[in-house]
Amino acid sequence: MGEVSKDSLQRILLQLECHFTWMLLKEDITPQELEERITNQIEFLPSKSKIQNYNLLAYVNHLNGKKEATLESLQKAEEAVQIEHPEEIEKASLVTWGNYAWVYYHMGQLGKAQEYIKKVECICKQNGSAFPYKMELPHIYCEKGWALLKFGASYYEKAKESFAKALEEEPQNPEFNAGYAITLYRMEDYYGKKSSAEGSSLEPLRRAASLNPDDPFVVPVFAVKLVEVGEAEDGEKYIKEALEKNPDIPYVLRYAAKFYRKRGDVIKSLELLKKALGLTPNSSFLHHQVGLCYRTQFLEKRKAKCQDREKMKELIGCCIFHFQKAVEHKPKFVYAYLDLASMYGEAKRLQEAEETFQKVFAMTKLPCEDKQELHFSYGRYQQFQKNSESEAVKHYLAGLKMEKESFPRDKCKAALKKLIERKINKSLGDAKSFGILGYIHQLNGERRQAIECYERALEMDPDNEEYLSALWALRLSLQS
């Protein structure tokens, strides 16, 4: 490979398999927060591949504009290759070399960029790759999967695909199974699916845990899944064993805390979370989980009609403090913002609640599920804190009309139906109320009830084109 033009170099760089070509966008993360998370993983999870972590850290350092730290991380990735894969150093170095090429390109050192491209090209040629500048290797699919997972929910589907490709090549590989199962669990957690039905993460997690019985990452996640599907006793065996083996690893502590919170033992959960925070004090995830525990205590006491106002005020304050810390360390943490705004509402700090909600409304590129959750949370705030049913209806309906099936959309539908039915039962239903109820019945496949509602709506608003169109379509569907 002789001297090439800058345009030709760019075309070659785009063919490499590395973090710079995996579409990992800076706008989807908080680089400083992710850098700290990776550093914590290197420190506290020695069993995890340091090659992967240092490669990813190099990329995040690059996003943060830290040139020296980027090169230092890549050098550490190279050193890790010698330890983790001494028998296949070249193949295990392909992602690192690709990253080096991109880094030197961005630094304007095109000759050095070409050197690393040449290394990649030689290995591809020696191994008979179908591509001049990349090889389709399961460990690269795996590394890509972990990187995608770190960049958040909008990358989960691609992460799942990457781990699935790795498993096609090596179905018994413990790490590939762990990555695939954890990705499925994260997707379920994000989309609000907790079942043990076919296609759920339960069996992949069971398989991954059996292949990785000492893994401090996958075993606690499996335990949490077990409690979610009603197998708490089995789950506790795994959690206790994980805590005995790894009492000072934040990842074990945080999932153990999640396990006990879901089991109803908030005191135990808080104890574990505070221990984990002592090890990683800037973890937005941990602060959010602590806030959720205090919120659980607050809601339980409110349900029990607790008269201790000072205690209630203290719990609200604790929630707000930890949710604030969560968004401080991770400014794009949508759910922490919504929880913070809701607790400001409970504290009657309505201006701060409104400002916090508006920060989320101002966020760009929110996934559909996050927008639906935002409309649901803001609708509840309008309904119960501002006593504005009209605004609540507006936002529940906005979440519902985003057609992607999701748990937040189901919550919008349920809240809207309850509010509208109560209004109608109080004889306060207008045409709009019956039109909305008709729409909900239509979404549920309840055609006859939908027709009745649209007919009632048209009695009150006979020229409404939307209701006429919906009624016509429903009547035709009954004839087919």
Side-chain angles (χ1 to χ4, degrees):
M1 180 180 178
E3 286 295 318
V4 295
S5 69
K6 194 169 184 179
D7 285 348
S8 297
L9 192 61
Q10 287 172 349
R11 283 195 291 274
I12 293 168
L13 286 166
L14 289 169
Q15 296 174 58
L16 298 173
E17 276 288 347
C18 64
H19 294 74
F20 289 83
T21 60
W22 290 341
M23 293 294 289
L24 303 165
L25 304 182
K26 184 177 181 179
E27 64 202 57
D28 293 325
I29 57 160
T30 304
Q32 194 64 43
E33 184 269 341
L34 181 52
E35 185 180 327
E36 189 163 349
R37 266 197 289 147
I38 299 164
T39 305
N40 286 338
Q41 194 166 90
I42 290 168
E43 180 182 354
F44 293 108
L45 280 179
S47 60
K48 291 295 287 180
S49 169
K50 285 189 168 51
I51 306 169
Q52 294 173 9
N53 274 324
Y54 280 121
N55 271 328
L56 182 57
L57 185 58
Y59 181 69
V60 177
N61 283 331
H62 167 78
L63 296 180
N64 277 332
K66 299 178 178 179
K67 293 179 183 178
E68 286 184 20
T70 301
L71 290 172
E72 187 182 318
S73 294
L74 288 175
Q75 188 180 340
K76 287 180 177 176
E78 280 193 301
E79 291 167 4
V81 168
Q82 309 282 335
I83 298 164
E84 292 178 26
H85 296 286
E87 73 294 344
E88 285 194 314
I89 287 171
E90 290 85 2
K91 284 184 182 178
S93 299
L94 287 170
V95 173
T96 308
W97 290 344
N99 285 338
Y100 261 126
W102 271 93
V103 169
Y104 281 123
Y105 168 79
H106 282 297
M107 290 171 71
Q109 297 184 38
L110 304 189
K112 283 195 173 181
Q114 279 185 252
E115 285 176 25
Y116 282 98
I117 288 171
K118 180 66 178 173
K119 283 174 178 264
V120 173
E121 186 183 24
C122 286
I123 297 306
C124 292
K125 194 172 182 180
Q126 285 173 21
N127 288 276
S129 173
F131 307 95
Y133 300 108
K134 70 175 182 180
M135 290 184 69
E136 294 184 322
L137 298 170
H139 79 262
I140 292 179
Y141 289 129
C142 176
E143 180 163 1
K144 184 178 180 179
W146 287 120
L148 289 163
L149 205 55
K150 282 280 199 302
F151 267 65
S154 59
Y155 294 81
Y156 288 170
E157 191 61 49
K158 287 182 180 176
K160 177 185 165 186
E161 289 170 13
S162 289
F163 286 120
K165 282 183 179 178
L167 281 170
E168 283 174 16
E169 299 294 322
E170 295 181 28
Q172 298 298 321
N173 185 289
E175 188 187 3
F176 303 169
N177 276 279
Y180 182 74
I182 286 169
T183 303
L184 282 182
Y185 176 78
R186 293 267 186 93
M187 291 173 79
E188 289 171 350
D189 202 38
Y190 180 69
Y191 296 120
K193 296 174 182 175
K194 307 295 183 187
S195 78
S196 57
E198 187 180 345
S200 90
S201 66
L202 181 63
E203 291 312 315
L205 280 168
R206 193 188 305 279
R207 176 178 170 79
S210 69
L211 290 168
N212 300 267
D214 297 319
D215 191 299
F217 209 54
V218 73
V219 174
V221 177
F222 176 47
V224 172
K225 183 64 185 177
L226 286 171
V227 78
E228 287 175 356
V229 299
E231 298 179 31
E233 285 186 21
D234 282 347
E236 190 161 26
K237 291 174 194 170
Y238 285 100
I239 281 294
K240 284 182 173 178
E241 199 173 306
L243 284 169
E244 282 171 16
K245 290 177 182 175
N246 306 286
D248 298 311
I249 291 184
Y251 301 92
V252 175
L253 292 166
R254 83 185 207 182
Y255 280 105
K258 192 173 183 180
F259 172 89
Y260 283 109
R261 178 170 62 82
K262 286 180 176 288
R263 200 176 184 188
D265 190 344
V266 180
I267 304 298
K268 178 72 171 173
S269 182
L270 276 169
E271 176 194 319
L272 293 164
L273 287 168
K274 286 175 180 177
K275 183 177 179 182
L277 269 175
L279 297 165
T280 52
N282 295 332
S283 168
S284 56
F285 177 92
L286 291 174
H287 279 292
H288 186 237
Q289 290 290 311
V290 172
L292 292 177
C293 285
Y294 284 124
R295 188 180 70 180
T296 298
Q297 289 184 325
F298 166 75
L299 294 173
E300 284 173 352
K301 288 188 178 298
R302 186 171 70 180
K303 189 176 180 181
K305 297 186 168 37
C306 174
Q307 299 301 310
D308 188 342
R309 290 188 178 182
E310 283 304 310
K311 183 62 180 175
M312 297 294 274
K313 188 177 176 182
E314 180 193 331
L315 288 170
I316 290 173
C318 288
C319 289
I320 288 172
F321 173 81
H322 286 285
F323 290 148
Q324 281 176 333
K325 285 289 183 186
V327 299
E328 180 186 313
H329 294 301
K330 191 176 182 180
K332 294 178 183 176
F333 197 163
V334 170
Y335 282 75
Y337 270 114
L338 297 180
D339 291 332
L340 175 60
S342 297
M343 293 315 295
Y344 278 142
E346 295 288 353
K348 305 303 176 190
R349 292 161 63 174
L350 301 188
Q351 185 176 341
E352 288 163 289
E354 186 66 41
E355 288 170 359
T356 305
F357 276 120
Q358 292 309 320
K359 282 180 183 176
V360 186
F361 276 112
M363 289 181 184
T364 55
K365 280 193 69 184
L366 281 182
C368 185
E369 295 82 359
D370 287 358
K371 289 178 185 175
Q372 290 166 328
E373 185 68 41
L374 170 58
H375 282 293
F376 172 72
S377 296
Y378 193 58
R380 280 186 64 81
Y381 167 72
Q382 289 291 341
Q383 183 178 353
F384 296 109
Q385 305 300 337
K386 298 292 290 291
N387 297 313
S388 174
E389 289 193 349
S390 60
E391 281 297 304
V393 166
K394 175 182 165 184
H395 285 280
Y396 292 147
L397 195 56
L400 183 57
K401 286 196 169 180
M402 293 176 193
E403 293 186 358
K404 185 165 185 178
E405 289 290 340
S406 71
F407 185 53
R409 185 174 186 252
D410 290 342
K411 291 194 292 184
C412 286
K413 187 199 290 184
L416 183 58
K417 187 171 186 281
K418 188 175 180 181
L419 195 160
I420 293 293
E421 285 180 338
R422 193 177 71 237
K423 197 173 178 182
I424 289 171
N425 290 337
K426 288 182 178 178
S427 301
L428 299 171
D430 53 8
K432 185 178 178 183
S433 298
F434 281 105
I436 290 170
L437 192 56
Y439 174 61
I440 292 171
H441 282 306
Q442 193 175 356
L443 286 177
N444 290 339
E446 299 158 352
R447 290 182 291 181
R448 293 189 186 279
Q449 294 97 315
I451 286 170
E452 287 173 16
C453 287
Y454 281 125
E455 285 176 340
R456 291 289 302 276
L458 284 164
E459 286 171 12
M460 301 175 187
D461 185 3
D463 297 321
N464 188 297
E465 289 293 331
E466 182 186 342
Y467 305 155
L468 281 166
S469 175
L471 184 60
W472 176 253
L474 282 161
R475 286 202 177 281
L476 282 178
S477 74
L478 285 178
Q479 295 167 22
S480 60

